[in-house]
Amino acid sequence: MRILLLYFILVPFQVFASSRHESSVGILSTSGNTDVSSVAVKHETGLDWDKDTLDVKAGFTRASNQGVETASLWDFGVTYGRKIGPRYSLTLGEFIEGNRFQNLLQRYSTDAGLRYEFEKGGWSAGAALGYRLSRENYPVGSSDFHLARVQVRGARAFTPEISLSALLEVLPNFTRTEAWQANSEVALVTQLNSVFSLKSDFRWRYYHAPPAGVRFRGDTALTTALVARF
């Protein structure tokens, strides 16, 4: 509800803003001796006007093997930024995500922090530092956490058609110190034309103290998708 309220309050400003959009889809389907299917869909929309930015992101991933579901996760988030200098911005974000195989029905997160960004030559980089209030709902019960959020990212364009990016995010937990989290992503993008590109990304999600019933602390995903930017 908080995400939708923030989104609909700020969306009217898009008539005065420049916009950017990115959609991607990755699909795998086999039959016969091997019956595997997977789909990964993502979309990002960004609005920029004066000193303000609004970024909306959504994603869904599902996979099955021999008709048995093996992965099911989704996320949706809105981030608002206000520039306070050439390279600095104050940010406020609302996010919701779920991961069936991590026994996570929903995780609601509210972020507030400071972001730093710069570009030089073929490089672009950024860092963020902030606070997160998070509620996790499980099949039985829920937990509230206060966390710090530290994120660094970088990207390098090797040619006009090929670029590489990397991101690392660490979330120390003040409420339950052993329940810290970490996320990382490495992506290689090959531009096909002015609109379409191929993107291969590897993601790693780590939860040091996962919910009861979860076998592993970390999850990884390797996806190759067709991306459209417009």
Side-chain angles (χ1 to χ4, degrees), residues 170-226:
V170 180
L171 300 158
N173 194 318
F174 299 131
T175 305
R176 186 181 170 206
T177 54
E178 68 273 18
W180 61 273
Q181 305 168 35
N183 304 293
S184 67
E185 177 181 358
V186 178
L188 177 67
V189 177
T190 302
Q191 195 76 27
L192 302 178
N193 55 42
S194 60
V195 175
F196 294 103
S197 60
L198 284 177
K199 181 178 181 180
S200 297
D201 69 68
F202 176 81
R203 289 192 173 193
W204 172 67
R205 301 184 182 200
Y206 182 80
Y207 201 149
H208 190 68
V214 177
R215 294 176 57 194
F216 303 105
R217 293 178 174 178
D219 292 316
T220 63
L222 176 62
T223 305
T224 298
L226 180 66

Side-chain angles (χ1 to χ4, degrees), residues 80-102:
Y80 169 74
R82 173 73 175 182
K83 289 185 179 180
I84 56 174
R87 296 181 178 178
Y88 291 92
S89 300
L90 294 175
T91 60
L92 177 65
E94 283 283 349
F95 306 90
I96 179 173
E97 58 186 313
N99 188 335
R100 176 184 170 189
F101 291 90
Q102 205 177 54

